Amino acid sequence: MEAISAENLARNLNEYLLARAAEVNRALDSLVPDESLPPQTLHRAMRYSLMAGGKRLRPVLVLTAGEALGATAGDLMPAACAVEMIHTYSLIHDDLPAMDDDDLRRGRPTCHKAFGEAIAILAGDALLTQAFIVLSSSAPAGDQNRQVQVIRELATAAGTVEALIGGQVADIEGENRAVDAAALEYIHRSKTGALIKASVVIGGIIAGASPDQLSVLGRYGEKIGLAFQVADDILDVTSTSEAMGKTPGKDLAAQKATYPAIHGLDASRAHASELVESAISAAGQLGPAAYRLQQIAKFIIARQS
Ligand code: GRG
């Protein structure tokens, strides 16, 4: 059999990610209110940030994890879109002057730069709310028990305890202070890791995964979630705004604790690789159908944006 080169594998994954992102974009378009509906400005702002591109990594993880365990894209898509809505809300709020104060996101002016602060705050609130409207509107595979589990999983990941909002608070409170390695890992696992892990686990819940399978998915999700943020810290030092579509060097300027700042670039790269290897080995326990999850784990640290 002809060996598949690393280059072909990368091209193959790239095509997969682009195709899945396009599916997600079509579904998102149908799941947020149209701009012609009042309040038009708010709906325009929601769509401006949501439809601005982005890798769609989290929704693709919902789809890929769920399909690896036998769920259909149709059953997975509403939850995949709900995760992306919450992710986008967090980006809009993170960019506000009261938080990270950024001008550029997904290659265009941030929501508050385009629509003003009040509308940006409300667009974020509205995307968070819309996520739960979507999740509560249909039960995946007609199973209300799974539906409630998905809602709980996503709400918990977006919440305060070792989750999105809690991690953001710790991040803000850590600015200009000495943050040690353990505190930094807590911030990364909460602010970034929780939603990525939840994306993977939600795919499993919708597929009706067994408790063992869910714990394997959770381990995979935890490892790639942390690796994703370590890679983001590295890109903040090494990338350009053209490549990233946001302002690099911000962490350094804000004197934020990051992996490179605490551990150095080489050790950070090595740690990210170890995390990805553990994720690949965890996904291996799910059998050959999990090969896309393994490829995505590699992409997490190979990406340039
Ligand atoms: C405001 C509650 C609240 C939380 C904000 C997401 C977040 C927490 C802050 C954004 C700042 C940041 C760098 C967070 C780390 C997570 C991260 C790298 C987000 C960007 O995710 P990507 O790269 O973005 O997946 P795209 O645009 O591709 O979706």
Side-chain angles (χ1 to χ4, degrees), residues 150-176:
V150 168
I151 291 172
R152 189 184 308 121
E153 188 71 31
L154 189 53
T156 305
T160 57
V161 182
E162 295 183 29
L164 179 69
I165 295 172
Q168 179 76 347
V169 172
D171 194 25
I172 290 168
E173 291 182 344
E175 273 180 39
N176 301 313

Side-chain angles (χ1 to χ4, degrees), residues 13 32-33 41 47 53 59-60 81 88 106 120 157 181 183 185 201 203 261 264 269 277 283 298 305:
L13 176 67
V32 276
T41 321
R47 286 175 166 275
V60 171
C81 290
T88 303
R106 292 180 164 168
E185 187 169 319
V201 170
R269 287 195 176 111
E277 285 311 315
K298 288 187 194 160
S305 69

Side-chain angles (χ1 to χ4, degrees), residues 54-55 58 84 87 89-91 93-94 99 105-106 164-165 168 191-192 228-229 232 246 303:
K55 294 178 290 298
R58 296 154 191 79
E84 184 63 27
H87 169 57
Y89 123 72
S90 80
L91 298 179
H93 281 194
D94 183 67
M99 297 211 202
R105 172 68 65 184
R106 292 180 164 168
L164 179 69
I165 295 172
Q168 179 76 347
K191 186 180 82 168
T192 309
F228 183 90
Q229 184 59 59
D232 205 70
K246 63 179 183 179
R303 71 199 166 93

Side-chain angles (χ1 to χ4, degrees), residues 96-126:
L96 288 167
M99 297 211 202
D100 218 30
D101 192 11
D102 221 321
D103 296 349
L104 191 65
R105 172 68 65 184
R106 292 180 164 168
R108 47 163 83 171
T110 45
C111 195
H112 67 274
K113 283 283 164 193
F115 292 89
E117 276 184 55
I119 292 295
I121 292 169
L122 291 167
D125 293 342

